[in-house]
Amino acid sequence: LASEPEQAQTEKQICFHCGEPVPVELCLSVQIQGEHQPMCCIGCQAVAQTIVDNGLDDFYAYRDSPSRTAAQPVPEVLLKLQAYDDASVQGHFVQQLGGHLQEASLVLEGIVCPACVWVNEHSLSRLPGVVDVKVNYATRRAQVQWDDSRIQLSDILHSIYKLGYVAHPYDPSTRQQIVERERRILLRRLGLAAVMGMQVMMISVGLYFGHWYGIEDSFRRFLNGINCLLTLPVMLYSAPAFFVPAWRDIRHLKVGMDVPVSIAILLAFTGSLWSLWTDTGEVYFDSVVMFVFFLLLGRSLELGARKKAGEATDSLVQMLPAWATRLKTQGQTTEQETVAVARLQVGDRVLVKPGETIPVDGCIESGESSVDESLLTGESLPLARKPGMRVVGGSTNIESPLEIRVEHVGESTVLSQIMRLLERAQTGKPAITAVTDRVASWFVAGVLLLAGLTAWYWVQQGSADWFSITLSVLVVTCPCALSLAAPAAITVATGALMQAGILPARAHAIETLAAATHFVFDKTGTLTRGRLRVIKTELFSDLTAAQSLAIAAGLEQQSEHPIARAILQAAVDVRSRQPVEIKNYPGQGVKGRLDGDEWYLGTADFIQEKSGHTPPVLTQTVGTQVFLADQSRVHCAFLLEDEVRGDAAGLIAGLKRMGRKLMILSGDHPAAVQHLANELDIDDAKASLRPEDKLNAIHALQAGGAVVAMTGDGINDAPVLAAAQVSIAMGSGTQAARVNSDLVLLSDKLSNLQLGVQICVNTMRTIRQNISWAIGYNVLALPAAAMGYIEPWMAAIGMSLSSLLVVLNALRLKRK
């Protein structure tokens, strides 16, 4: 898509919406009411919104000819969507997963029931090159992975368009706009149904009295005719809210919840027309308008509840400001300029005033202040920050101005990483959701079959009410409540966990954490703060403490382990030696070559295995012991101590009260591990474990039927985290640990884990309540309707209330 001919002479345009310099080929102008109006780059949501709102089709694309003055018409939607294949446009919402694999976060417009989710997932997953598709019904968010060597994003978007839906790059403002537009349309349809329904019901009251006390046929036909005219606008404007999705489902051979509702409305209206024309039988114009009114009312309330459920997670994306104050130094003067956050680059300096939101991840160059990270980590108290300390984009500066050097922008920021994990969790499907979706998909087909059998039975019985009974059977059922039972609760629970400083990174995390029977903890960096310090160096050779630290620091210079950081900190005033051919043995130690000799640093078992020498027994046994040796002898031992987290004891006591079993698996010295276990009252503690030993211990628990929740922070914990049914990583842990985890403790507060477990338990209880209600309602309502005890208008109310109660019950989780 391109700009006006006169605009096409420049190389780039500044997008008024996002502030980005955009190549002219990606700029857009549209013709509205005969006048060309310049817009912004196609990546901005304002453009897509204008296209949708105005139904525009007068677009022109300027080809890459040297003059770029001749316009060529673009007749196909696919050509319009090809702008989304441009890498500069995709940078806002597409993530590179490696190789040709890409992932886009989209928001879908037109999702009205779980059947819509099934249609999109089933149809898109069959496209060649599409690897995975997940759609969250509660938030309308879709995660699509594809191989761009086989299929382009524009082809995927075009396939969604052909299904009858509209896809937008995800951002909370877009989702908000879509929800608001749907809400306005829904309210207009609801308002018309309400106004016409009141008129129809007033006339119907007269007809009811006439049926009881007598009324002339001419007046009865006249009043029925008036009701028919009043019902017609409802059928033409309000009822298509059900007709359009139903027809879309039928075209794709999927029976959604709108199919029986639409059949019931059409049968009631056409049957009433026939009765009015032939002057025989009953008319149901009052039932039709009541059907439509109550169903639209329930859908409107459900839409509002789902909007509220998604607000907690959308607030994360809205944390970053759109603009920032960049500092530009010229000579000896420093100027301030306001720029779009999207235009900031690594190395820029930004000024953040008190009360403003920090726009990027960076390091403080000047200024001291306190920073509120509560929305990111759940930490309630502001944290002191001074020069040299790092800050996270999305946190709020409280007291004094800060000058920050930009270190990470765009997709590399902490907030972006959190959002990617959160999107993965929200669009995934827990096992319980998959089961309810399968049941619901067959449920509607069973209802249609039951309605047919009910009609046949009552016709055989010669009942005059067979038609109204059949209508009640079609309307009273609610597979939507069954499909909403899990997604609604999980969406609310995800927001509650985020507010508690816990990031659910995978879809099954909530379900599995609630069912966990055994909680297994690493020691260093998990139950302790991981801030080890060297408190003593015991020498066994002629090497001095400084020389020993210099060699040890050289061996640990590339490690992220807390022990390595402690040794490097102790050697800060010592010039490190530089070994070569360094090799790390996770959970055991490290070796390297220095001056032609092999040096080893690690546990006593590691030293004995690699050097052949047995380390001496230390007089002080409480604490972490690390030995330094070469091929000739053991030279020294470093004794390190760590601080137990202040809330660790409270977490352990709380989990015990909840009936969970507790265990420590650590690679540390047995004396240090046992000392910690005694302090925290943990009966089962194993020490001196290599990663494979930890893995075997986890497998042994699982073989005995345990559901294991593993908490760790180091790179040596990554295999164990991956093996556990549910894994929790400390937010300060390594990237490998976080990637392999199902949940991340953002604030490193262990007490949040107990709160998270309680949230997950409440969530699964709510899901079971929702499923029980949905099944129980249908088990009672269907036979009652089939036996003629439920009038059609009562069926409409029951069906609407069933879905609404499920969503409202899920929202109770926020208060809990």
Side-chain angles (χ1 to χ4, degrees):
L1 301 177
S3 67
E4 292 271 54
E6 60 268 24
Q7 295 173 329
Q9 304 303 318
T10 59
E11 288 299 322
K12 290 187 177 182
Q13 302 279 344
I14 297 298
C15 171
F16 76 86
H17 183 68
C18 66
E20 291 262 20
V22 184
V24 70
E25 293 87 351
L26 298 178
C27 291
L28 173 70
S29 70
V30 295
Q31 187 173 7
I32 303 176
Q33 297 179 349
E35 295 183 4
H36 277 284
Q37 298 186 10
M39 298 297 292
C40 56
C41 64
I42 190 64
C44 294
Q45 294 311 309
V47 177
Q49 191 62 48
T50 304
I51 294 172
V52 173
D53 288 345
N54 294 277
L56 303 169
D57 55 7
D58 184 17
F59 291 91
Y60 293 89
Y62 293 89
R63 302 306 182 192
D64 293 328
S65 58
S67 62
R68 275 188 277 177
T69 56
Q72 299 179 359
V74 182
E76 299 292 337
V77 173
L78 178 59
L79 294 180
K80 301 174 189 177
L81 295 174
Q82 284 177 350
Y84 285 107
D85 294 333
D86 187 273
S88 62
V89 175
Q90 292 184 359
H92 296 288
F93 64 98
V94 175
Q95 180 189 2
Q96 305 294 328
L97 300 180
H100 293 284
L101 192 61
Q102 295 181 312
E103 183 179 66
S105 181
L106 307 172
V107 58
L108 300 185
E109 185 174 357
I111 300 291
V112 295
C113 75
C116 302
V117 172
W118 183 91
V119 167
N120 280 276
E121 290 182 342
H122 185 71
S123 301
L124 295 181
S125 62
R126 289 161 48 179
L127 295 175
V130 173
V131 178
D132 187 39
V133 182
K134 293 184 177 69
V135 181
N136 184 299
Y137 172 58
T139 61
R140 281 86 178 284
R141 185 184 300 186
Q143 291 292 114
V144 183
Q145 292 183 10
W146 74 96
D147 184 343
D148 68 353
S149 65
R150 301 178 60 196
I151 191 171
Q152 296 299 310
L153 178 59
S154 58
D155 299 319
I156 298 173
L157 298 178
H158 190 223
S159 298
I160 295 173
Y161 174 82
K162 290 192 295 184
L163 291 173
Y165 304 87
V166 180
H168 307 278
Y170 177 80
D171 70 59
S173 60
T174 304
R175 196 185 80 88
Q176 182 73 14
Q177 291 169 3
I178 292 174
V179 171
E180 284 299 316
R181 184 167 58 255
E182 290 181 353
R183 189 183 65 84
R184 289 195 302 268
I185 295 173
L186 201 57
L187 286 178
R188 286 197 293 266
R189 286 174 166 165
L190 178 63
L192 178 67
V195 171
M196 295 301 177
M198 285 188 292
Q199 306 303 318
V200 170
M201 289 307 299
M202 283 193 298
I203 295 174
S204 297
V205 169
L207 289 170
Y208 296 155
F209 278 105
H211 178 74
W212 293 330
Y213 298 106
I215 186 174
E216 292 185 12
D217 288 342
S218 59
F219 282 110
R220 178 177 52 79
R221 287 194 298 270
F222 174 75
L223 293 178
N224 282 332
I226 296 297
N227 274 352
C228 178
L229 293 177
L230 293 172
T231 306
L232 193 58
V234 176
M235 292 293 297
L236 296 177
Y237 182 74
S238 300
F242 310 104
F243 296 159
V244 173
W247 175 242
R248 188 167 54 204
D249 291 343
I250 292 172
R251 283 194 298 116
H252 294 98
L253 303 178
K254 175 68 177 178
V255 183
M257 63 160 287
D258 287 313
V259 172
V261 169
S262 299
I263 291 175
I265 294 173
L266 287 172
L267 283 178
F269 184 72
T270 54
S272 299
L273 284 179
W274 176 256
S275 297
L276 180 62
W277 180 261
T278 60
D279 196 22
T280 58
E282 297 291 332
V283 293
Y284 300 95
F285 295 121
D286 53 342
S287 296
V288 170
V289 293
M290 287 298 101
F291 281 171
V292 176
F293 171 74
F294 284 118
L295 294 175
L296 286 176
L297 178 62
R299 184 163 291 184
S300 177
L301 295 173
E302 179 194 328
L303 180 64
R306 281 194 284 110
K307 174 187 172 184
K308 190 174 182 180
E311 286 175 353
T313 51
D314 281 348
S315 63
L316 276 179
V317 190
Q318 296 169 332
M319 288 169 62
L320 288 181
W323 303 92
T325 302
R326 184 166 60 186
L327 300 176
K328 190 174 182 181
T329 302
Q330 294 181 346
Q332 303 203 355
T333 62
T334 300
E335 299 179 354
Q336 298 181 10
E337 59 176 344
T338 301
V339 298
V341 171
R343 297 182 63 183
L344 291 176
Q345 298 179 353
V346 175
D348 285 346
R349 288 190 307 136
V350 295
L351 175 66
V352 182
K353 300 174 183 177
E356 291 184 345
T357 300
I358 298 173
V360 290
D361 294 0
C363 182
I364 299 175
E365 287 203 338
S366 67
E368 293 187 17
S369 184
S370 56
V371 174
D372 181 3
E373 298 182 355
S374 58
L375 289 177
L376 276 172
T377 65
E379 176 63 59
S380 58
L381 297 176
L383 305 174
R385 293 290 183 262
K386 58 185 179 180
M389 301 183 74
R390 286 176 169 78
V391 290
V392 179
S395 52
T396 304
N397 183 21
I398 301 297
E399 297 166 342
S400 305
L402 294 174
E403 291 186 14
I404 299 170
R405 176 75 63 179
V406 178
E407 292 185 339
H408 299 284
V409 295
E411 292 298 310
S412 64
T413 62
V414 170
L415 186 60
S416 296
Q417 295 171 10
I418 289 175
M419 284 307 304
R420 284 198 296 272
L421 292 174
L422 190 59
E423 288 169 3
R424 182 176 69 182
Q426 285 192 327
T427 53
K429 290 185 182 295
I432 193 168
T433 303
V435 171
T436 56
D437 285 349
R438 284 196 298 269
V439 172
S441 64
W442 289 101
F443 185 78
V444 177
V447 168
L448 293 176
L449 178 61
L450 179 61
L453 293 175
T454 301
W456 175 82
Y457 172 80
W458 286 109
V459 169
Q460 295 299 314
Q461 298 298 316
S463 173
D465 297 327
W466 69 271
F467 192 69
S468 63
I469 293 174
T470 305
L471 295 180
S472 297
V473 170
L474 288 169
V475 175
V476 78
T477 54
C478 191
C480 188
L482 187 60
S483 295
L484 275 173
I490 289 175
T491 300
V492 176
T494 300
L497 287 171
M498 286 298 303
Q499 291 176 348
I502 302 174
L503 171 64
R506 284 184 170 83
H508 72 87
I510 294 175
E511 182 179 5
T512 314
L513 185 62
T517 58
H518 289 66
F519 281 77
V520 179
F521 296 92
D522 178 45
K523 172 184 171 288
T524 306
T526 304
L527 292 174
T528 63
R529 294 192 179 278
R531 299 172 187 167
L532 291 170
R533 56 190 180 93
V534 179
I535 61 170
K536 186 178 181 181
T537 302
E538 290 204 13
L539 303 174
F540 311 126
S541 71
D542 55 356
L543 280 182
T544 66
Q547 291 172 330
S548 300
L549 279 173
I551 297 172
L555 290 169
E556 294 282 24
Q557 60 187 339
Q558 297 178 349
S559 176
E560 295 183 357
H561 197 277
I563 291 178
R565 291 198 294 265
I567 291 176
L568 290 170
Q569 181 64 33
V572 69
D573 296 326
V574 177
R575 185 175 179 180
S576 300
R577 305 289 297 275
Q578 299 299 320
V580 295
E581 300 179 15
I582 296 175
K583 183 177 180 181
N584 184 47
Y585 295 82
Q588 302 174 68
V590 63
K591 78 171 184 177
R593 184 173 293 276
L594 180 65
D595 298 332
D597 295 324
E598 291 279 359
W599 286 82
Y600 310 97
L601 179 70
T603 63
D605 291 340
F606 175 74
I607 295 298
Q608 184 171 5
E609 177 186 347
K610 296 298 182 183
S611 70
H613 303 290
T614 302
V617 178
L618 301 183
T619 56
Q620 186 172 353
T621 59
V622 176
T624 300
Q625 301 171 9
V626 179
F627 296 88
L628 177 67
D630 62 8
Q631 295 169 323
S632 62
R633 63 179 301 173
V634 179
H635 288 276
C636 73
F638 301 106
L639 186 66
L640 301 91
E641 280 191 352
D642 196 0
E643 180 185 355
V644 180
R645 293 186 185 272
D647 53 357
L651 168 67
I652 299 304
L655 291 177
K656 280 190 171 183
R657 285 194 301 270
M658 299 173 72
R660 269 54 172 186
K661 304 293 184 181
L662 304 171
M663 176 186 288
I664 297 177
L665 296 179
S666 175
D668 208 347
H669 190 272
V673 174
Q674 191 58 49
H675 176 74
L676 177 65
N678 294 337
E679 184 176 347
L680 297 179
D681 194 22
I682 298 177
D683 298 329
D684 195 353
K686 293 179 172 59
S688 300
L689 299 180
R690 296 172 298 179
E692 54 267 33
D693 298 328
K694 294 183 180 181
L695 202 58
N696 292 334
I698 293 292
H699 289 158
L701 289 174
Q702 292 169 335
V707 178
V708 178
M710 173 70 193
T711 306
D713 78 313
I715 192 169
N716 59 311
D717 296 321
V720 190
L721 290 169
Q725 282 99 329
V726 59
S727 51
I728 304 108
M730 307 300 292
S732 60
T734 63
Q735 179 68 17
R738 293 195 296 268
V739 167
N740 286 282
S741 298
D742 303 313
L743 299 107
V744 179
L745 291 177
L746 296 175
S747 67
D748 282 351
K749 290 177 63 175
L750 281 175
S751 57
N752 287 350
L753 179 57
Q754 182 184 350
L755 178 59
V757 174
Q758 191 60 56
I759 290 173
C760 294
V761 170
N762 290 339
T763 300
M764 297 311 298
R765 183 184 299 121
T766 299
I767 290 175
R768 287 190 290 270
Q769 290 171 354
N770 286 348
I771 292 176
S772 299
W773 160 254
I775 294 176
Y777 163 79
N778 284 291
V779 166
L780 294 175
L782 263 177
M787 289 186 288
Y789 296 134
I790 297 179
E791 295 292 330
W793 63 270
M794 297 168 59
I797 295 176
M799 185 236 189
S800 301
L801 288 178
S802 181
S803 297
L804 183 61
L805 284 175
V806 165
V807 178
L808 291 178
N809 190 39
L811 288 175
R812 292 172 56 240
L813 286 168
K814 295 183 71 173
R815 293 193 294 274
K816 287 185 179 180

